[in-house]
Amino acid sequence: MVAHKRYDQDYALLIRFSTYVKQRLRVSLAELLFVASFALNFFLGKVLHLYSEQAEVYNYYNDKGNIFNQLFVKKGWAWTTIAVVYFYGNVLSRQHVKNVQNTLLLAFVRYAAATFWWYLFTQWCFGLPIMDKLFVYTGGKCVATDGKHLSHLFEELDGLFHSNKISSYACRKIKGSWEGGHDPSGHVFLMVHSSLYLFFEIMPYWRGWQQLKRDWQGLKSQTISGKVVQTFYTTPQVVVMSLMALWWFMLLMTNMYFHSIAEKLAGLWFGYIGIAAIYYIPRWF
């Protein structure tokens, strides 16, 4: 009886805190916790790196050529796009959604805005993308052993070719190295930006863990693989959540193995900015 009473008190306190956060900050408790989880990921990655054995720290995930990095992270926004298209295609066709055309229009506007911010930061922003502009403005440059075919962009010095006019992508293509300067983590930005975008898109359609459990138990298939396939088809939230889990895990790997603290914090900050502009700031108007 005492334990039950204490549970009720704790639950009431949680409800009051959730209501306070929503009224004052205009975010739900779930939103606040998920957004904060990326800061937790950052600190967790640092702690694991510092206190793990060297054999555990330097492993398969420390290799940029690992399959998760090559197949998923490097094509991160494409996978995010596929997931959200599948989600809306499934939800709007299987669930009763009022004003489908307006829902699709608003979803497309948000997707276009999120894509535009991703493009500005990682691909092009009236020249170099934002992350490369920051790198160059802080003294960074591309150093290559062969830049003769791009002589108008490079300066030859001591037998090497130096340039602060080409992007990090172009530098990698000519097998150059990105040296000096502050290099904001594009991986951190992508994982945070993609995860938050997917989270805010599926949140209005979230039916809770209990409903997902009932859906799983209600499936007719007797095999686990069959249940998984049916769940992915009937509950598209699971597909999106699976991708979000992968992004969170790969973000942890990045936080453990790559970039300096300042560079990862810069990626985290820019990942927050775009989502705040799309989903949070409009709530105050």
PDB file of all heavy atoms in Angstrom, residues 199-216:
ATOM      1  N   PHE A 199      11.952  12.209 -35.543  1.00  0.00           N
ATOM      2  CA  PHE A 199      11.220  12.184 -34.280  1.00  0.00           C
ATOM      3  C   PHE A 199      10.021  13.132 -34.313  1.00  0.00           C
ATOM      4  O   PHE A 199       8.898  12.751 -33.956  1.00  0.00           O
ATOM      5  CB  PHE A 199      12.166  12.563 -33.137  1.00  0.00           C
ATOM      6  CG  PHE A 199      11.475  12.713 -31.804  1.00  0.00           C
ATOM      7  CD1 PHE A 199      11.169  11.594 -31.053  1.00  0.00           C
ATOM      8  CD2 PHE A 199      11.139  13.967 -31.318  1.00  0.00           C
ATOM      9  CE1 PHE A 199      10.532  11.728 -29.824  1.00  0.00           C
ATOM     10  CE2 PHE A 199      10.504  14.104 -30.098  1.00  0.00           C
ATOM     11  CZ  PHE A 199      10.199  12.989 -29.342  1.00  0.00           C
ATOM     12  N   PHE A 200      10.251  14.361 -34.735  1.00  0.00           N
ATOM     13  CA  PHE A 200       9.164  15.336 -34.751  1.00  0.00           C
ATOM     14  C   PHE A 200       8.108  15.005 -35.803  1.00  0.00           C
ATOM     15  O   PHE A 200       6.951  15.396 -35.654  1.00  0.00           O
ATOM     16  CB  PHE A 200       9.723  16.739 -34.977  1.00  0.00           C
ATOM     17  CG  PHE A 200      10.278  17.362 -33.733  1.00  0.00           C
ATOM     18  CD1 PHE A 200      11.634  17.342 -33.472  1.00  0.00           C
ATOM     19  CD2 PHE A 200       9.442  17.953 -32.803  1.00  0.00           C
ATOM     20  CE1 PHE A 200      12.154  17.895 -32.318  1.00  0.00           C
ATOM     21  CE2 PHE A 200       9.944  18.522 -31.634  1.00  0.00           C
ATOM     22  CZ  PHE A 200      11.308  18.494 -31.391  1.00  0.00           C
ATOM     23  N   GLU A 201       8.493  14.299 -36.855  1.00  0.00           N
ATOM     24  CA  GLU A 201       7.515  13.932 -37.879  1.00  0.00           C
ATOM     25  C   GLU A 201       6.587  12.814 -37.416  1.00  0.00           C
ATOM     26  O   GLU A 201       5.388  12.834 -37.697  1.00  0.00           O
ATOM     27  CB  GLU A 201       8.229  13.523 -39.172  1.00  0.00           C
ATOM     28  CG  GLU A 201       8.797  14.683 -39.952  1.00  0.00           C
ATOM     29  CD  GLU A 201       7.734  15.681 -40.400  1.00  0.00           C
ATOM     30  OE1 GLU A 201       6.693  15.247 -40.943  1.00  0.00           O
ATOM     31  OE2 GLU A 201       7.954  16.890 -40.184  1.00  0.00           O
ATOM     32  N   ILE A 202       7.120  11.812 -36.715  1.00  0.00           N
ATOM     33  CA  ILE A 202       6.273  10.682 -36.323  1.00  0.00           C
ATOM     34  C   ILE A 202       5.557  10.921 -35.000  1.00  0.00           C
ATOM     35  O   ILE A 202       4.598  10.217 -34.689  1.00  0.00           O
ATOM     36  CB  ILE A 202       7.080   9.369 -36.233  1.00  0.00           C
ATOM     37  CG1 ILE A 202       7.996   9.357 -35.007  1.00  0.00           C
ATOM     38  CG2 ILE A 202       7.860   9.121 -37.511  1.00  0.00           C
ATOM     39  CD1 ILE A 202       8.599   7.992 -34.721  1.00  0.00           C
ATOM     40  N   MET A 203       5.994  11.907 -34.225  1.00  0.00           N
ATOM     41  CA  MET A 203       5.428  12.110 -32.897  1.00  0.00           C
ATOM     42  C   MET A 203       3.909  12.305 -32.898  1.00  0.00           C
ATOM     43  O   MET A 203       3.212  11.725 -32.047  1.00  0.00           O
ATOM     44  CB  MET A 203       6.115  13.291 -32.210  1.00  0.00           C
ATOM     45  CG  MET A 203       5.756  13.421 -30.737  1.00  0.00           C
ATOM     46  SD  MET A 203       6.691  14.726 -29.939  1.00  0.00           S
ATOM     47  CE  MET A 203       6.182  16.134 -30.942  1.00  0.00           C
ATOM     48  N   PRO A 204       3.323  13.081 -33.825  1.00  0.00           N
ATOM     49  CA  PRO A 204       1.859  13.241 -33.803  1.00  0.00           C
ATOM     50  C   PRO A 204       1.110  11.931 -34.049  1.00  0.00           C
ATOM     51  O   PRO A 204      -0.086  11.848 -33.755  1.00  0.00           O
ATOM     52  CB  PRO A 204       1.604  14.244 -34.932  1.00  0.00           C
ATOM     53  CG  PRO A 204       2.892  14.977 -35.091  1.00  0.00           C
ATOM     54  CD  PRO A 204       3.945  13.951 -34.825  1.00  0.00           C
ATOM     55  N   TYR A 205       1.794  10.937 -34.597  1.00  0.00           N
ATOM     56  CA  TYR A 205       1.146   9.663 -34.923  1.00  0.00           C
ATOM     57  C   TYR A 205       1.563   8.550 -33.967  1.00  0.00           C
ATOM     58  O   TYR A 205       1.250   7.393 -34.198  1.00  0.00           O
ATOM     59  CB  TYR A 205       1.490   9.249 -36.357  1.00  0.00           C
ATOM     60  CG  TYR A 205       1.144  10.312 -37.376  1.00  0.00           C
ATOM     61  CD1 TYR A 205       2.100  11.248 -37.787  1.00  0.00           C
ATOM     62  CD2 TYR A 205      -0.133  10.401 -37.905  1.00  0.00           C
ATOM     63  CE1 TYR A 205       1.778  12.235 -38.703  1.00  0.00           C
ATOM     64  CE2 TYR A 205      -0.461  11.378 -38.829  1.00  0.00           C
ATOM     65  CZ  TYR A 205       0.500  12.295 -39.221  1.00  0.00           C
ATOM     66  OH  TYR A 205       0.182  13.267 -40.129  1.00  0.00           O
ATOM     67  N   TRP A 206       2.266   8.931 -32.913  1.00  0.00           N
ATOM     68  CA  TRP A 206       2.737   7.936 -31.958  1.00  0.00           C
ATOM     69  C   TRP A 206       1.563   7.417 -31.124  1.00  0.00           C
ATOM     70  O   TRP A 206       0.799   8.193 -30.565  1.00  0.00           O
ATOM     71  CB  TRP A 206       3.796   8.541 -31.050  1.00  0.00           C
ATOM     72  CG  TRP A 206       4.284   7.630 -29.972  1.00  0.00           C
ATOM     73  CD1 TRP A 206       4.116   7.779 -28.631  1.00  0.00           C
ATOM     74  CD2 TRP A 206       5.020   6.416 -30.151  1.00  0.00           C
ATOM     75  NE1 TRP A 206       4.707   6.752 -27.955  1.00  0.00           N
ATOM     76  CE2 TRP A 206       5.264   5.887 -28.871  1.00  0.00           C
ATOM     77  CE3 TRP A 206       5.486   5.717 -31.271  1.00  0.00           C
ATOM     78  CZ2 TRP A 206       5.956   4.699 -28.660  1.00  0.00           C
ATOM     79  CZ3 TRP A 206       6.178   4.537 -31.068  1.00  0.00           C
ATOM     80  CH2 TRP A 206       6.412   4.044 -29.774  1.00  0.00           C
ATOM     81  N   ARG A 207       1.426   6.104 -31.029  1.00  0.00           N
ATOM     82  CA  ARG A 207       0.293   5.498 -30.328  1.00  0.00           C
ATOM     83  C   ARG A 207       0.682   4.875 -28.998  1.00  0.00           C
ATOM     84  O   ARG A 207      -0.149   4.284 -28.325  1.00  0.00           O
ATOM     85  CB  ARG A 207      -0.358   4.441 -31.224  1.00  0.00           C
ATOM     86  CG  ARG A 207      -0.963   5.031 -32.491  1.00  0.00           C
ATOM     87  CD  ARG A 207      -1.630   3.948 -33.317  1.00  0.00           C
ATOM     88  NE  ARG A 207      -0.661   2.993 -33.828  1.00  0.00           N
ATOM     89  CZ  ARG A 207      -0.995   1.823 -34.384  1.00  0.00           C
ATOM     90  NH1 ARG A 207      -2.261   1.477 -34.464  1.00  0.00           N
ATOM     91  NH2 ARG A 207      -0.053   1.009 -34.854  1.00  0.00           N
ATOM     92  N   GLY A 208       1.927   4.979 -28.631  1.00  0.00           N
ATOM     93  CA  GLY A 208       2.366   4.489 -27.327  1.00  0.00           C
ATOM     94  C   GLY A 208       2.855   3.050 -27.374  1.00  0.00           C
ATOM     95  O   GLY A 208       2.510   2.276 -28.268  1.00  0.00           O
ATOM     96  N   TRP A 209       3.683   2.708 -26.392  1.00  0.00           N
ATOM     97  CA  TRP A 209       4.276   1.374 -26.348  1.00  0.00           C
ATOM     98  C   TRP A 209       3.232   0.288 -26.138  1.00  0.00           C
ATOM     99  O   TRP A 209       3.350  -0.819 -26.662  1.00  0.00           O
ATOM    100  CB  TRP A 209       5.333   1.312 -25.242  1.00  0.00           C
ATOM    101  CG  TRP A 209       6.537   2.122 -25.541  1.00  0.00           C
ATOM    102  CD1 TRP A 209       6.904   3.299 -24.941  1.00  0.00           C
ATOM    103  CD2 TRP A 209       7.544   1.843 -26.520  1.00  0.00           C
ATOM    104  NE1 TRP A 209       8.075   3.773 -25.492  1.00  0.00           N
ATOM    105  CE2 TRP A 209       8.489   2.899 -26.463  1.00  0.00           C
ATOM    106  CE3 TRP A 209       7.734   0.824 -27.441  1.00  0.00           C
ATOM    107  CZ2 TRP A 209       9.602   2.950 -27.279  1.00  0.00           C
ATOM    108  CZ3 TRP A 209       8.851   0.862 -28.261  1.00  0.00           C
ATOM    109  CH2 TRP A 209       9.772   1.916 -28.181  1.00  0.00           C
ATOM    110  N   GLN A 210       2.205   0.589 -25.341  1.00  0.00           N
ATOM    111  CA  GLN A 210       1.190  -0.419 -25.082  1.00  0.00           C
ATOM    112  C   GLN A 210       0.445  -0.803 -26.363  1.00  0.00           C
ATOM    113  O   GLN A 210       0.143  -1.981 -26.589  1.00  0.00           O
ATOM    114  CB  GLN A 210       0.200   0.093 -24.025  1.00  0.00           C
ATOM    115  CG  GLN A 210       0.778   0.212 -22.627  1.00  0.00           C
ATOM    116  CD  GLN A 210       1.290  -1.122 -22.108  1.00  0.00           C
ATOM    117  OE1 GLN A 210       0.673  -2.163 -22.315  1.00  0.00           O
ATOM    118  NE2 GLN A 210       2.437  -1.091 -21.427  1.00  0.00           N
ATOM    119  N   GLN A 211       0.150   0.204 -27.201  1.00  0.00           N
ATOM    120  CA  GLN A 211      -0.524  -0.089 -28.457  1.00  0.00           C
ATOM    121  C   GLN A 211       0.369  -0.917 -29.370  1.00  0.00           C
ATOM    122  O   GLN A 211      -0.084  -1.841 -30.041  1.00  0.00           O
ATOM    123  CB  GLN A 211      -0.930   1.209 -29.154  1.00  0.00           C
ATOM    124  CG  GLN A 211      -1.708   1.006 -30.454  1.00  0.00           C
ATOM    125  CD  GLN A 211      -3.004   0.256 -30.244  1.00  0.00           C
ATOM    126  OE1 GLN A 211      -3.772   0.590 -29.354  1.00  0.00           O
ATOM    127  NE2 GLN A 211      -3.227  -0.777 -31.048  1.00  0.00           N
ATOM    128  N   LEU A 212       1.671  -0.588 -29.419  1.00  0.00           N
ATOM    129  CA  LEU A 212       2.606  -1.361 -30.235  1.00  0.00           C
ATOM    130  C   LEU A 212       2.688  -2.804 -29.738  1.00  0.00           C
ATOM    131  O   LEU A 212       2.784  -3.745 -30.526  1.00  0.00           O
ATOM    132  CB  LEU A 212       3.989  -0.708 -30.203  1.00  0.00           C
ATOM    133  CG  LEU A 212       4.131   0.633 -30.917  1.00  0.00           C
ATOM    134  CD1 LEU A 212       5.560   1.143 -30.784  1.00  0.00           C
ATOM    135  CD2 LEU A 212       3.754   0.515 -32.379  1.00  0.00           C
ATOM    136  N   LYS A 213       2.652  -2.969 -28.424  1.00  0.00           N
ATOM    137  CA  LYS A 213       2.691  -4.318 -27.852  1.00  0.00           C
ATOM    138  C   LYS A 213       1.455  -5.099 -28.245  1.00  0.00           C
ATOM    139  O   LYS A 213       1.531  -6.289 -28.613  1.00  0.00           O
ATOM    140  CB  LYS A 213       2.809  -4.222 -26.328  1.00  0.00           C
ATOM    141  CG  LYS A 213       2.920  -5.573 -25.644  1.00  0.00           C
ATOM    142  CD  LYS A 213       3.053  -5.397 -24.130  1.00  0.00           C
ATOM    143  CE  LYS A 213       3.154  -6.756 -23.443  1.00  0.00           C
ATOM    144  NZ  LYS A 213       3.288  -6.591 -21.964  1.00  0.00           N
ATOM    145  N   ARG A 214       0.288  -4.441 -28.193  1.00  0.00           N
ATOM    146  CA  ARG A 214      -0.948  -5.121 -28.579  1.00  0.00           C
ATOM    147  C   ARG A 214      -0.937  -5.470 -30.065  1.00  0.00           C
ATOM    148  O   ARG A 214      -1.413  -6.529 -30.479  1.00  0.00           O
ATOM    149  CB  ARG A 214      -2.151  -4.246 -28.236  1.00  0.00           C
ATOM    150  CG  ARG A 214      -2.458  -4.172 -26.746  1.00  0.00           C
ATOM    151  CD  ARG A 214      -3.816  -3.560 -26.492  1.00  0.00           C
ATOM    152  NE  ARG A 214      -3.836  -2.152 -26.852  1.00  0.00           N
ATOM    153  CZ  ARG A 214      -3.543  -1.179 -26.012  1.00  0.00           C
ATOM    154  NH1 ARG A 214      -3.193  -1.470 -24.756  1.00  0.00           N
ATOM    155  NH2 ARG A 214      -3.583   0.079 -26.395  1.00  0.00           N
ATOM    156  N   ASP A 215      -0.392  -4.548 -30.892  1.00  0.00           N
ATOM    157  CA  ASP A 215      -0.288  -4.830 -32.327  1.00  0.00           C
ATOM    158  C   ASP A 215       0.577  -6.059 -32.573  1.00  0.00           C
ATOM    159  O   ASP A 215       0.271  -6.908 -33.409  1.00  0.00           O
ATOM    160  CB  ASP A 215       0.311  -3.619 -33.059  1.00  0.00           C
ATOM    161  CG  ASP A 215      -0.653  -2.444 -33.104  1.00  0.00           C
ATOM    162  OD1 ASP A 215      -1.852  -2.638 -32.814  1.00  0.00           O
ATOM    163  OD2 ASP A 215      -0.191  -1.326 -33.424  1.00  0.00           O
ATOM    164  N   TRP A 216       1.688  -6.150 -31.837  1.00  0.00           N
ATOM    165  CA  TRP A 216       2.612  -7.285 -31.999  1.00  0.00           C
ATOM    166  C   TRP A 216       1.924  -8.587 -31.596  1.00  0.00           C
ATOM    167  O   TRP A 216       2.007  -9.598 -32.282  1.00  0.00           O
ATOM    168  CB  TRP A 216       3.846  -7.037 -31.150  1.00  0.00           C
ATOM    169  CG  TRP A 216       4.813  -8.180 -31.098  1.00  0.00           C
ATOM    170  CD1 TRP A 216       4.842  -9.173 -30.167  1.00  0.00           C
ATOM    171  CD2 TRP A 216       5.883  -8.457 -32.004  1.00  0.00           C
ATOM    172  NE1 TRP A 216       5.867 -10.049 -30.427  1.00  0.00           N
ATOM    173  CE2 TRP A 216       6.523  -9.628 -31.553  1.00  0.00           C
ATOM    174  CE3 TRP A 216       6.356  -7.824 -33.143  1.00  0.00           C
ATOM    175  CZ2 TRP A 216       7.611 -10.185 -32.202  1.00  0.00           C
ATOM    176  CZ3 TRP A 216       7.447  -8.375 -33.797  1.00  0.00           C
ATOM    177  CH2 TRP A 216       8.058  -9.528 -33.334  1.00  0.00           C
TER     178      TRP A 216
END
